[in-house]
Amino acid sequence: MKGRRRAATGFLAALMILLAAAAVLLTVLGIQKKRYQEQLSLGDKYLAELDYENAEICFEKAISIQEKKAAPYLKLAAVYLYQGRTQDAENILREGSQKVTDNEGLENIRENLEILEEPKGILEGYVYDEEKPFDSSSIPIDAVSFNGHYYYVYELDTVTTWEEAKQYCEEQGGYLAAITSAEENDFVYSCMKNSFGYESAYFGFTDREEEGTWVWENSEVSTYTNWHSGEPNGENPKEDFAMYYYKYSDGTWNDGDFGKRTVNSKKVFICEWGE
């Protein structure tokens, strides 16, 4: 009997050690994810300001934190390409192709690498030119593509309202994303989470002009919607903008206010390019 008790006590002690180790591991992973996302967001900010030196530092740090994620390799390649450093861009994409494990991100890296290896050509929206290597307002190198359209997820300190997000997308030659089919919705939602690392983001569906009448801001006409059950609910009077919501992990939509009352004040939005 005593032997059994000692065995049970030993088992419980070992179990407690394993649980404690698991808790520590989850905490470490959570801290790493936060640091990784902070470096990506800060790098995006510097890149938007054409501060290539600091953008490079941020994306290099992001790689050191999460070397199996595609986004920092693609973003760092963009920094190099903006400066005409084609060989450096090719090298970092090759490195990413050996380390990235996400299938969508890996495919994006390989596609860009194949095009970059051509003497001249188009690299995800960037037109190569010896005099002017890349147009800074073109589609980002790490934008994801679906049916000839490109999508990119932004989080910028300078964008504080939905209208500013709309204007920013237009300044980049695009528009707030218009999600007009189930296939497109599944693709964009998956990429938002897996390629860009966000759980919530706004796009271009709104009833700001007339409450209850939802339209796409780029005037696209579509009968497709994917509201979560009970949405849109107009929980507060300013919930005029459709979004992917972290509470709805199936890609269904929520109506949000683009403010701190929704998603802890994060102003994340999706731009789209294509006709």
Side-chain angles (χ1 to χ4, degrees), residues 2 12 35 38 54 61 90 101 112 123 132 153 188 222 248 252 272:
K2 291 182 179 179
L12 289 174
R35 288 178 54 228
E38 286 175 347
N54 282 314
K61 287 181 179 179
E90 183 177 332
T101 56
N112 281 282
L123 179 61
K132 184 180 179 182
V153 183
V188 175
S222 172
Y248 306 153
T252 51
E272 179 179 351

Side-chain angles (χ1 to χ4, degrees), residues 23-35:
V24 171
L25 178 60
L26 288 174
T27 300
V28 171
L29 290 175
I31 293 173
Q32 284 184 336
K33 183 177 180 180
K34 182 178 180 181
R35 288 178 54 228

Side-chain angles (χ1 to χ4, degrees), residues 14-254:
L15 180 60
M16 292 299 293
I17 292 172
L18 287 174
L19 290 174
V24 171
L25 178 60
L26 288 174
T27 300
V28 171
L29 290 175
I31 293 173
Q32 284 184 336
K33 183 177 180 180
K34 182 178 180 181
R35 288 178 54 228
Y36 169 75
Q37 195 58 60
E38 286 175 347
Q39 291 302 320
L40 286 187
S41 298
L42 188 57
D44 283 340
K45 173 179 178 293
Y46 286 130
L47 186 55
E49 297 171 351
L50 305 185
D51 184 348
Y52 301 127
E53 182 178 354
N54 282 314
E56 182 177 342
I57 292 172
C58 289
F59 296 142
E60 286 177 343
K61 287 181 179 179
I63 290 173
S64 69
I65 297 169
Q66 294 278 13
E67 67 173 13
K68 295 182 180 181
K69 297 287 187 180
Y73 293 99
L74 290 161
K75 292 175 185 290
L76 184 53
V79 173
Y80 292 146
L81 290 170
Y82 276 128
Q83 300 173 83
R85 296 163 57 185
T86 308
Q87 188 59 56
D88 287 336
E90 183 177 332
N91 290 341
I92 197 63
L93 290 175
R94 286 186 181 280
E95 180 181 338
S97 70
Q98 299 298 317
K99 295 182 179 179
V100 170
T101 56
D102 169 56
N103 289 334
E104 290 178 355
L106 185 58
E107 182 178 355
N108 200 7
I109 285 178
R110 288 172 175 170
E111 287 177 356
N112 281 282
L113 186 57
E114 287 177 4
I115 299 172
L116 186 58
E117 288 172 340
E118 298 177 3
K120 292 187 179 181
I122 299 175
L123 179 61
E124 290 292 313
Y126 293 103
V127 180
Y128 181 85
D129 184 288
E130 290 183 350
E131 298 297 324
K132 184 180 179 182
F134 297 97
D135 182 357
S136 63
S137 65
S138 296
I139 304 168
I141 188 175
D142 47 333
V144 294
S145 61
F146 175 80
N147 282 350
H149 285 229
Y150 293 85
Y151 307 84
Y152 194 84
V153 183
Y154 288 97
E155 180 186 359
L156 302 174
D157 293 338
T158 54
V159 173
T160 60
T161 68
W162 187 90
E163 289 76 13
E164 289 176 352
K166 175 180 181 295
Q167 180 181 353
Y168 186 85
C169 290
E170 292 172 351
E171 288 173 349
Q172 312 312 308
Y175 48 88
L176 277 171
I179 314 298
T180 58
S181 73
E183 295 77 15
E184 182 180 17
N185 185 76
D186 291 345
F187 174 82
V188 175
Y189 178 72
S190 174
C191 289
M192 177 197 72
K193 293 188 68 175
N194 299 323
S195 297
F196 292 96
Y198 291 99
E199 295 184 327
S200 302
Y202 288 87
F203 42 89
F205 206 37
T206 177
D207 71 341
R208 62 181 178 139
E209 296 295 336
E210 182 178 349
E211 184 66 24
T213 301
W214 289 83
V215 298
W216 293 106
E217 64 84 16
N218 69 339
S219 300
E220 191 161 351
V221 178
S222 172
T223 59
Y224 175 77
T225 59
N226 193 37
W227 295 110
H228 190 78
S229 177
E231 304 290 354
N233 61 12
E235 191 172 39
N236 75 66
K238 295 183 179 181
E239 289 195 336
D240 296 331
F241 314 109
M243 65 182 299
Y244 294 120
Y245 194 37
Y246 73 99
K247 291 183 179 180
Y248 306 153
S249 59
D250 56 356
T252 51
W253 305 349
N254 174 60

